[in-house]
Amino acid sequence: MIRHILLCKLKDASPEATERLVDAIEGLRGISDGLRALAVGVDFKRSPISYDIAAIVDFDDREALARFSAEPRHRVVVELLRAACSAVAVVDHELP
């Protein structure tokens, strides 16, 4: 199984802007085969080193992650994130 972790630091961390991006990420649920789980959370601590949004997405295998990444609806969300974020961090790793 593959875990994809996304961290987003927003240019505008207002509740409205945050909700817009959370909704966009949650809208990716079920868009491709092999996507097992998708969880999105908003940071409540708001420390200087915190990111504003975190998403954890689990896939059956690397091929499922590749299908998801190529999905046009995913590409739309990627472009939204590029426009809305001052920083993004991603980690993809295998789970035992």
Side-chain angles (χ1 to χ4, degrees):
M1 185 157 61
I2 301 297
R3 177 158 286 164
H4 174 72
I5 301 170
L6 169 71
L7 300 174
C8 304
K9 190 172 286 271
L10 304 178
K11 294 175 187 173
D12 172 10
S14 68
E16 298 80 18
T18 301
E19 183 178 351
R20 225 178 359 263
L21 287 175
V22 167
D23 289 347
I25 296 167
E26 287 182 338
L28 297 173
R29 209 179 301 279
I31 67 166
S32 68
D33 291 337
L35 192 162
R36 286 190 178 193
L38 187 149
V40 183
V42 176
D43 179 64
F44 63 86
K45 198 171 178 184
R46 302 285 185 195
S47 78
I49 62 169
S50 293
Y51 279 70
D52 301 302
I53 297 172
I56 298 174
V57 189
D58 292 338
F59 298 93
D60 288 338
D61 50 34
R62 290 178 184 207
E63 291 77 18
L65 173 59
R67 283 191 303 275
F68 175 81
S69 296
E71 164 64 48
R73 290 170 285 183
H74 173 258
R75 303 303 316 152
V76 169
V77 173
V78 167
E79 292 307 316
L80 285 173
L81 292 172
R82 284 187 177 143
C85 296
S86 60
V88 174
V90 175
V91 175
D92 296 300
H93 67 93
E94 293 189 272
L95 295 173

